[in-house]
Every structure is written in C-alpha cells, then in structure tokens.
DNA sequence: GCAAATTGCCCAAACGTTTGGGCCAAACGT
DNA sequence: ACGTTTGGCCCAAACGTTTGGGCAATTTGC
C-alpha cells in the first residue's frame, strides 16, 4: 500500500476514535499492529493465526517474535464479527432447553458450556418451556444469529420440528432426550427404569404406580418403559390407571400423585420419573397423612443434589447430567468437522436410600 | 454500479455457493434482494431498516412495498456479524452467574432472557462458580466476543474486580447481589432478614442461629444483618458463634448446621440464608434424630418452588427472582442508551409455613 | 417561467478479518 | 554463470452491512 495513503488513513482513524468519548478504549485491530510494526496486515494475520504450517512461511522468526510481543502487549483480540463475516463460521452454538430453572437441564448446560469452552465455542442458551411455538421462534432467533450448530435439550419424541431443522441443513445434536434417528446423548433411561423396577420388585412391591412425566419426552417414556418391562418380566402387569402423566416439576408430581392416591386401594410404591416430581409426590403423600418410606415407597430419577438431603432421603437413579452436556458438545464439534457421529447412551446408577428402603442411609 | 459488472459478480457468487455442498441454503443477503429488484443495496437497506423517518425518503411507497414483499418471501435476515462490524454494536450482553444449577440464579436468568428478547438483545451466560479467577477469565471471554454490556450475578461485595471492569468503560449492572455503588437490582435482603427475625421473635425464639452463606456475597450479609438487627431491637444479642458461614447449596447448609448443633445447648431456631442451605439444614437436623418444626424451627430464603413441597413445608422469604432478572436488563438497556440509572431494591414477602409454625399450612 | 425544494434513488467507503496469489531478493543446484 | 527454488513479505478482494453524500428528475413557490 502507498505509505502516504496509509498514514493518512491512520490519521482519520485517530480523529474518529477521539470523537467516541474518552473512557471506552478502542479495541486494537490487526491494522494497528501492522501500522506500528511497518508490516502488512495480512502478514500479521497469518502469524497470529496458523501455528505450525503457516506462520514460519509468513514471516521470519524475528518478525514473528515482534508481532507476538506487540500483540499481547496491546492485548489484541480478534474481532469475532469480522472473522465470522469473512470465514462464514461463527463458533457459536445455540442451545435450547425447556427451562434452566430445572436443575437437570441446568447441570447439563454446565457440561455443555464447559466443553464448549475447550472447543473454542460459545453458546446461546434459551428457554422454550417445552412449547412448540417457542421452540420454533427461538430456533429462528438463534439461526438468525448465524450459529454453526445447535443442541436441543427439549426434543419432542415425534421429531416433527427437528425434521424441519434437519431439512434446512442445520447441524444439531440432542441431549437428555432422544428423538427419531438424530444423534443424541442420553442417559440409558430404559435401563434406569428397569433397575428401579427390579429394586422395588426385590422389596416385594407388587402394586406400584408411575408418575410418568410428559408424554412427548423420551426420558419419561423410556424410564417408564424399562420399569414396566421389569415388572412384566416378573409376571406382574402394571395396570393402565397406575400410570399417569405429569409435568416434570414438583407441582406436577404433587398433582399426579394426588390422583394416584385418590382411588380406593393405593399402591405400595410410586416411581416418579424425575426427582422433582418425586418431591412433589412427597408433598402429596404428606397431605394424605402418610409417611414416605414407612407407609409408601417413593423413588425418583436423576439423583439431584437435594435427593440425599431430604428429610427422608430419596431413592433415585443417578444420571450423568454433566457428562451428557459435555458429550453433546463433543458430538456437535465432530459433526461440524463433517464427521459422522453415533448416538451415545450413558450408564445410570441406582442410589438406594430410605424413601424405598427404611434401613438404608 | 456497472450492470455488466454486477451480473458477472452474481455469476461468481452462484458458482461459489455450489461448491459449498448442496443442503445448506445460502443465507439471503441485501445484495440478492437488490439485484433481483434492480435496486441498489443501500436503498434496500434503508427501507428495511429505519421505519418512520427514513423509509419514505428512501424509496417510493411502491418500491417499499416491493422490497418488503421480496424480503419476507425470501426470508431475509440481516447478518448480525456484518451489522455489528459496521455499527460497532453487537446487541449482545454477557451474563455471569455463580452457577445456573442454582435455581435462584437460573430463575433470575430466565427473567434476563425474557426481557433481553423484548429489547432485541441476546445473552451469553456463563458459570463462574464464584471463583475470582474464573470470573476474570470469563469476563475476558465475553468481552472478546464484543458484548455491549454485562450483567454480573456473582459480584463480590468488595467490588475490586468490578472496579477494573468499570475502569475499562464496560457498562454493566449487578443482579442478586449489590457491590460498591454500582447499579444493581436486588431483593431488599436486609428487610427480608428483619421480617424473618421478627417472625421468629414473635414465636418466642430467643436462642437462634444463622447459616449465613458466603462472606463475600451481599445477599447473605444483608439477610443476616437484618435478622441480627431485628433481634438487637428486641434486646437480644445473637452471639458470634451462632452465626456460621456456609456454601449456598444443600451440602453447605448441612455442614454448617452440623456445626451449629454440635455444641452443648442447641438453638431453638435456625435461619439459613437461602432455601438450599435450609434443605441441607433439614438433613442435618434429621441426622440428629430431631424433627424440623417440632423440635427445632428452620427458615430459609427465596421461596423456591420446592419450599412448599417439602415433607415439612419451609418457612421462607419470597424474593422476586424473575423480576430481578427483568429489571436488570431494563437497567442495562437504559445504561446502553447513555442514561443514568439508579439501583433498585425489590420488596420481599414472608411465607410462613410449618417448618417454623407447626399449625401453618 | 424560473429558482428552489423535494422525491427517489445510487455511489462508495468503511467496519476488521482471511486468503489466493503475487513479487523481489537471496540461496541453491549444476 | 545461470536457471530454479525458497524465504519473506505485500496486494487486493471479499464477507454483508450502514450511512454521509451525491445527482437527476419532478414538484413547488412566486
């Protein structure tokens, strides 16, 4: 570039930044580095960008050194908007969850964020409250932000909406819930349900009920399925009216349990497909004047940190929530590299406590 | 522009997008619209951008109509990276919280996200686990993403780090916790503590203890302060050893309560500065073979959804978490407009339940 | 009927990167 | 001594917007 022109441009830029007001330090750009070093901006870019194969071809090692030193002396941070604009890659991923105030999803998100950081990705996370209209709207919103890919923690098992997203060529993975044949990272919910079923069978419970969660979520479906199958294998058929759907929160578990306890003869054990619903079940049991553990067994799923602290500690199935989040990003990262990925199903662990087993811890 | 040149460019662009692979539909740009309509890109930009004052000067109403129609027929979405690059405004805000798996912060974040959407802002949220080093690192990270402003939900009361951030000219507001004179949206924690103190005094409790939370968080400090002052006003001095710091989770509340119960004569009531710590206190009380409510009163703070569902419903102070998040963004938005803003202190509400008052619901 | 104002649009530069392709000089091969 | 490689750097276009200025044609004012 014509050196005269260059210095004129520099003058203009300085004047401009003065007008902006004093306190907000203007971010340092490649051009500033290049100007101060008497180099071309492309040289600086190459040196600061590609480590092994490019940088030594781009400049002499002395120059490389000069550039590096100035860059971190001035605290150079590439402008991600410029980079994204140029490369058509934003290193952003959108994450949809039903609600972050559900500790399960929040913990999964912690795993997502942790792993995303390691992959150089940033995440937009938003709540959809499991409402399809909101899922659509929020998906549009994050796609408008030009994310590279998405993670859905709120998949409907019918996968209708996901089909549309896939048709648009957006890379995504599912966490927590599975749907269709899309790549997902889930807990082995079916196995977890089975384990709990076998546990209750072993304790002699024959008349049991299930607070089954929302009918559109694979988590509730699979946990219930495993539980029911465990009983079927033992020759016990759980009647239809012993299985009631519910919201996934405490209130929902409370209501569902109320319904279950309303009938004439009550079950001797209740399996709620997540811990919050189980806590709601505690409330309903209490309202009936019954005692959890002594009069009726209650079990949950997920082993959230509260489970062990409850006045009657809760028997539950530990699901690797944090790990699910981490693997979710790992899968997505590989997807973004163009690799083909397989779904993963993580192993649950049965935690036996006093809510089903009076002599347990 | 020379029409010949323009069409040649179009050809190049088409060829290029073919190479990308079939499925990923190339996003529609201003130029595509302009080319198809035989207009200049700047005209299209103006029409699609400024509503009342500009658009009618920018084009005839017929043209405006044509542009609008094609834009949403093709589903035009402005590329935010290009826009941010040009305008130096990203409409992004960074949110730091200790941990989203804490339902209090998660709920605050729901408010933040909701209100952010209404303001046309998007949020990056990240967990810092209250570790200063991580706070710094994550702050750098979101600033590198060129956010317009920040919301801290993890402020240390000493405000040292916040001072550095402020010195760099970054606009921010605090939620949940206050610090220094920086604009914040908090619950009136002091008042909440007072209300609880007066409640327990009214029930005749003279020998009380406090599970006070982390010493660096204004929430715990102010709640404890209000509580202690209520007792002081009644002529009761709470001895130093009755006040123990703790983590904010169930485990932390458990450990702190164990310590409190270890001594010779035990208090007749325990105030834990948040619900999770209170649940942990439940666990510790249970481990001592005591019954919450009957043998010892326990109160919490925040009124999380579980409080009412516990086997012994928890007396607590309702704090407007969702609203705090909303107001936080509102404040930040005004700050970004250059307005001057004042901190807000939201009103708490006492929820009396059986954990302190055996005959309550 | 002429100057002035308005309407309706176009031009071009800029935001900060990345990247394919140059170009000049020095080192190398024979 | 003379072509060829390589080292070290620069050039310029492009990504998709926004925005201060134009400029021609039409309308308005008098």
């Amino acid at each position: 570039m014509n050196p005269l022109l260059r210095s004129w441009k520099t003058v203009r830029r300085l004047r401009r930044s003065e007008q902006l007001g004093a306190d907000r330090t203007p971010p340092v750009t490649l051009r500033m580095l290049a100007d101060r070093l008497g180099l071309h901006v492309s040289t600086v870019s190459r040196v600061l960008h590609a480590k092994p194969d490019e940088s030594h071809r781009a400049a002499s090692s002395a120059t490389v050194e000069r550039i590096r030193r100035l860059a971190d002396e001035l605290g150079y941070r590439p402008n991600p908007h410029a980079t994204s604009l140029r490369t058509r890659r934003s290193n952003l991923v959108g994450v949809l969850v039903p609600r972050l105030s559900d500790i399960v999803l929040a913990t999964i998100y912690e795993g997502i964020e942790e792993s995303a950081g390691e992959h150089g990705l940033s995440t937009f996370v938003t709540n959809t409250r499991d409402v399809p209209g909101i899922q659509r709207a929020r998906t549009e919103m994050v796609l408008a932000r030009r994310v590279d890919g998405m993670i859905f923690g709120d998949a409907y098992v019918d996968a209708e909406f996901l089909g549309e997203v896939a048709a648009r060529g957006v890379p995504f993975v599912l966490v927590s819930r599975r749907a269709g044949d899309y790549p997902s990272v889930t807990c082995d919910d079916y196995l977890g349900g089975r384990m709990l079923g076998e546990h209750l069978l072993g304790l002699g419970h024959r008349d049991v009920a299930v607070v089954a969660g929302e009918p559109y979520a694979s988590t509730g479906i699979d946990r219930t399925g495993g539980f029911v199958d465990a009983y079927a294998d033992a020759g016990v058929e759980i009647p239809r009216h012993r299985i009631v759907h519910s919201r996934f929160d405490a209130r929902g578990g409370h209501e569902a349990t109320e319904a279950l306890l309303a009938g004439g003869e009550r079950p001797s054990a209740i399996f709620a497909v997540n811990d919050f619903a189980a806590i709601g079940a505690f409330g309903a049991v209490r309202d009936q004047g019954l005692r959890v553990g002594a009069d009726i067994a209650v079990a949950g799923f997920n082993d959230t940190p509260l489970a062990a602290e409850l006045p009657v500690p809760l028997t539950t199935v530990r699901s690797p929530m944090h790990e699910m989040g981490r693997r979710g990003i790992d899968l997505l990262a590989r997807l973004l590299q163009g690799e083909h990925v397989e779904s993963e199903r993580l192993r649950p662990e049965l935690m036996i406590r006093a809510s089903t087993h009076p002599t347990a811890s």
Side-chain angles (χ1 to χ4, degrees), chain A:
Chain A
M1 180 187 288
N2 178 335
L4 208 80
L5 181 59
R6 185 192 290 164
S7 62
W8 177 80
K9 283 198 174 184
T10 302
V11 168
R12 283 245 306 173
R13 192 159 23 255
L14 290 177
R15 171 131 356 110
R16 203 173 173 299
S17 69
E18 277 168 24
Q19 293 170 349
L20 285 180
D23 52 353
R24 197 103 197 225
T25 327
V28 22
T29 71
L30 276 187
R31 176 115 59 184
M32 292 182 193
L33 299 181
D35 285 356
R36 275 208 237 277
L37 294 168
L39 289 171
H40 193 268
V41 61
S42 67
T43 305
V44 180
S45 172
R46 273 184 243 260
V47 167
L48 259 25
H49 193 51
K51 279 270 164 184
D53 44 344
E54 285 259 34
S55 76
H56 84 103
R57 262 192 40 86
S60 68
S61 53
T63 308
V64 167
E65 189 47 32
R66 285 202 310 142
I67 295 178
R68 292 242 171 84
R69 197 193 312 287
L70 188 66
D72 60 49
E73 179 189 326
L74 264 48
Y76 171 71
R77 292 278 172 274
N79 182 319
H81 301 120
T83 304
S84 301
L85 183 57
R86 174 64 229 243
T87 62
R88 294 146 167 282
R89 223 200 177 253
S90 60
N91 292 316
L92 253 30
V93 345
V95 180
L96 263 57
V97 299
R99 45 178 56 78
L100 277 172
S101 55
D102 178 338
I103 195 173
V104 177
L105 271 305
T107 307
I108 290 175
Y109 177 70
E110 288 183 359
I112 289 178
E113 200 215 324
E114 184 180 298
S115 181
E118 295 167 12
H119 284 277
L121 300 169
S122 298
T123 55
F124 284 125
V125 56
T126 108
N127 300 99
T128 64
R129 290 182 317 209
D130 268 331
V131 178
I134 303 185
Q135 293 172 337
R136 283 196 151 74
R138 304 309 287 181
T139 300
E140 290 308 326
M141 175 143 282
V142 307
L143 289 179
R145 279 281 178 189
R146 301 301 199 270
V147 297
D148 291 337
M150 299 193 59
I151 292 194
F152 292 97
D154 63 347
Y156 270 48
V157 76
D158 66 31
E160 182 192 325
F161 171 55
L162 292 175
E164 298 171 23
V165 177
R168 290 165 66 173
V170 179
F172 64 82
V173 336
L174 276 28
V175 295
S176 180
R177 304 178 184 168
R178 60 172 182 79
D181 289 327
Y182 300 111
S184 63
V185 183
T186 55
C187 174
D188 192 338
D189 292 313
Y190 180 86
L191 176 58
R194 263 200 112 85
M195 287 160 57
L196 215 30
E198 284 157 11
H199 167 64
L200 291 179
L201 273 166
L203 292 173
H205 293 283
R206 302 265 131 185
D207 186 1
V208 296
V210 183
V211 175
E214 301 280 13
Y216 51 73
S218 72
T219 45
I221 295 172
D222 293 348
R223 291 167 195 172
T224 303
F227 187 81
V228 167
D229 284 0
Y231 269 82
D233 288 357
V236 181
E237 174 135 1
I238 301 177
R240 193 70 197 79
H241 71 278
R242 287 294 197 213
I243 302 179
V244 303
H245 288 294
S246 69
R247 295 202 317 272
F248 282 120
D249 56 12
R251 192 86 227 127
H254 189 122
E255 291 162 7
T257 305
E258 255 174 4
L260 283 171
L261 297 180
E265 51 199 318
R266 55 175 159 79
S268 69
I270 294 179
F271 168 37
V273 297
N274 85 8
D275 283 359
F276 278 75
I279 290 174
F282 275 31
V285 166
R286 172 201 71 204
D287 289 353
Q288 295 278 317
L290 302 171
R291 288 159 309 156
V292 170
D295 301 322
I296 187 167
V298 175
F301 204 108
N302 280 335
D303 195 26
T304 53
L306 292 92
E309 297 296 335
L310 295 172
V312 181
L314 177 67
T315 292
T316 184
V317 174
R318 174 171 298 174
S319 64
M321 302 177 279
H322 191 91
E323 187 63 14
M324 271 170 44
R326 290 194 56 93
R327 308 290 271 262
I329 280 283
D330 292 353
L331 241 55
L332 184 59
R334 287 167 44 204
L335 217 52
L336 293 178
Q337 305 291 327
E339 294 179 38
H340 178 254
V341 301
E342 294 287 335
S343 292
E344 300 187 10
R345 194 148 304 217
L346 274 34
R347 203 151 208 308
E349 180 186 358
L350 183 60
M351 308 298 292
I352 298 173
R353 301 204 182 93
S355 72
T356 60
H357 199 280
T359 65
S361 73

